[in-house]
Amino acid sequence: MLKQFYQIFLFIMVLIIMSQNAAGKDLTIGTQSEPSIDPHFLYLSTNIAYSKHIFGRLVDRDENGRRIPDLAVSWNAIDDNTWEFKLRKGVKFHDGSEFTAQDVVFSFERIPSLPNNPGSYANSISGIVSTEIIDPHTIIIKTDKPNPVLPSQLHNAAIVSKKHAAHAGSNDFASGKAAIGTGPYKFVKYIPGDRLVLERFEDYWGNKPAYKNVTFRIISNDAVRTAALLGGDIDMIDNVPPASVKLLEKKGVSVFKHPSDRVIFLTCDTVRDQSPFVTDKDGNPMEKNPLKDIRVRKAIAKSIHHKALTQGVMEGLAIPANQLIPEGWFSYNPDIKSEEYDPQGAAELLKEAGYPDGFGLTIHGTNNRYVNDAKVCQAVAQMLSRIGIKMKVETLPKSVFFSQMPFPKQAYSFWLLGWGNAGVGESSKGLLTVVHSFDKQKGTGTYNGGCYNPRLDILAEKAAATVDEAQREILLKEAMAVAMNDYNPIPLYTQYSLMAAKKGITVTPRADEQTLAMNARPSE
């Protein structure tokens, strides 16, 4: 009788455990990227995604890039240069303290002042000249000129606790000491190179995530990450390698796809007369930088076989691009024509520019940031080799790559980069950050290492300060056309956002490619 009782007891316990897992108790995500726990350190969309678990922001975006309230419940333009934000009442930080306008002002002051930051978030608050606290839940923000996209721009400015982050460095965030936010998850533990552990914040003001305990397992290698999912060690993965999609689906794993807002492109150093990774074919430095010649850049554009990249390297999970914003988004310019693949025409252009035998060039890129980034660099190098350019390929971990790319280091001559447009939902931020010339005071050109076109600078700045949407779109389209006619940057494709999860889990992939535990839930 007693034995039977224990058997029933164990059976019930198993059912309870199973029901807890089915209800979403634990979730382990295999992710490609190492996090920065400090939400103001190293501007990368992957770091922004991590920060959304722990920290709120005034304005957020949904999975389709649409603007939604977060810590601000409403915002209103009082005049062209003045915005009023009404903050959400009753919001608690993870330590139980109340969120107020003082935390917003403190966060905005901390962002540009963080020392030794290889990728500043200053762009997220650029143009703000003053903040005024009207009451604990009302704040007035003044800008130096009209800024119609300010609410969207603030999407990347995480709000930290003044109480805990004052005098705190990035190490204090990594240890958890200062990682006190208002987000849906609380910091539990971070082991660099291994994992980030989070726990659901039960006093979160919004909808509670489905999973109570979340662990991000950092597995940068695509094959290892995929094998871990197939082996049952983890529940879901991000940045699914396109070559693995069919295998995963064959094994019963669900793959979730969404067209991304990110355009992948090539950038040429057209600023310096001598560029560090441009050589003659014997490897000697050149007196004159051929990338400054538009005929050479046009030759590079003509040598790119977009179909081979999108259907071959990217396994059909990418769409050819001819500008820095995907088709269908605000400010996309339909009049810009795609450059046709024409290796013979490219070789003739090189000859016309004075390089009939080509020259030497190294392409730099990441090997753990974008889908198949290292393979794409190899493919581009092979295409350029066919027109006589002697290519080398050097791919680096993203932390190393991005620390060396921007001004003043400007370490590369020719490189692969990507830009997501969901931050403001139009091309203005991309034009100002990636193509506009570097200007620390203006906060422009943060990720520009080699483009310079004064006309584009003027158009992009004018567009960004134009409140009238129709007029702003005209200016943005014109600015984009200038950049594309300059053949710098050279667009390649728009990639897909790919997530995969084991049976029983549903994931909503996002246009901004962010990996959020809040977008996962038990399947119905």
Side-chain angles (χ1 to χ4, degrees), residues 6 61 103 138 177 182 199 213 234 241 268 272 311 382 407 415 422 424 429 493 517:
Y6 279 120
R61 284 196 171 272
D103 299 299
T138 306
K177 179 181 175 184
T182 60
E199 179 185 353
N213 303 304
I234 55 180
C268 306
R272 292 172 289 190
Q311 298 300 313
Q382 289 174 11
F407 281 100
W415 63 99
V424 293
K429 189 55 70 176
Y493 56 84

Side-chain angles (χ1 to χ4, degrees), residues 373-393:
D373 42 13
K375 290 181 180 177
V376 172
C377 286
Q378 292 285 354
V380 168
Q382 289 174 11
M383 293 172 188
L384 296 191
S385 296
R386 293 181 190 132
I387 64 169
I389 300 178
K390 189 176 181 180
M391 296 297 298
K392 292 181 180 177
V393 178

Side-chain angles (χ1 to χ4, degrees), residues 293-304 339 342-343 345-351 384 387 389 487 490:
D293 190 319
I294 191 172
R295 292 169 294 186
V296 173
R297 301 196 299 275
K298 188 173 182 178
I300 291 173
K302 284 183 173 294
S303 73
I304 301 300
E339 194 68 42
D342 181 9
E348 290 172 358
L349 280 168
L350 282 184
K351 183 179 179 181
L384 296 191
I387 64 169
I389 300 178
Y487 291 96
I490 300 169

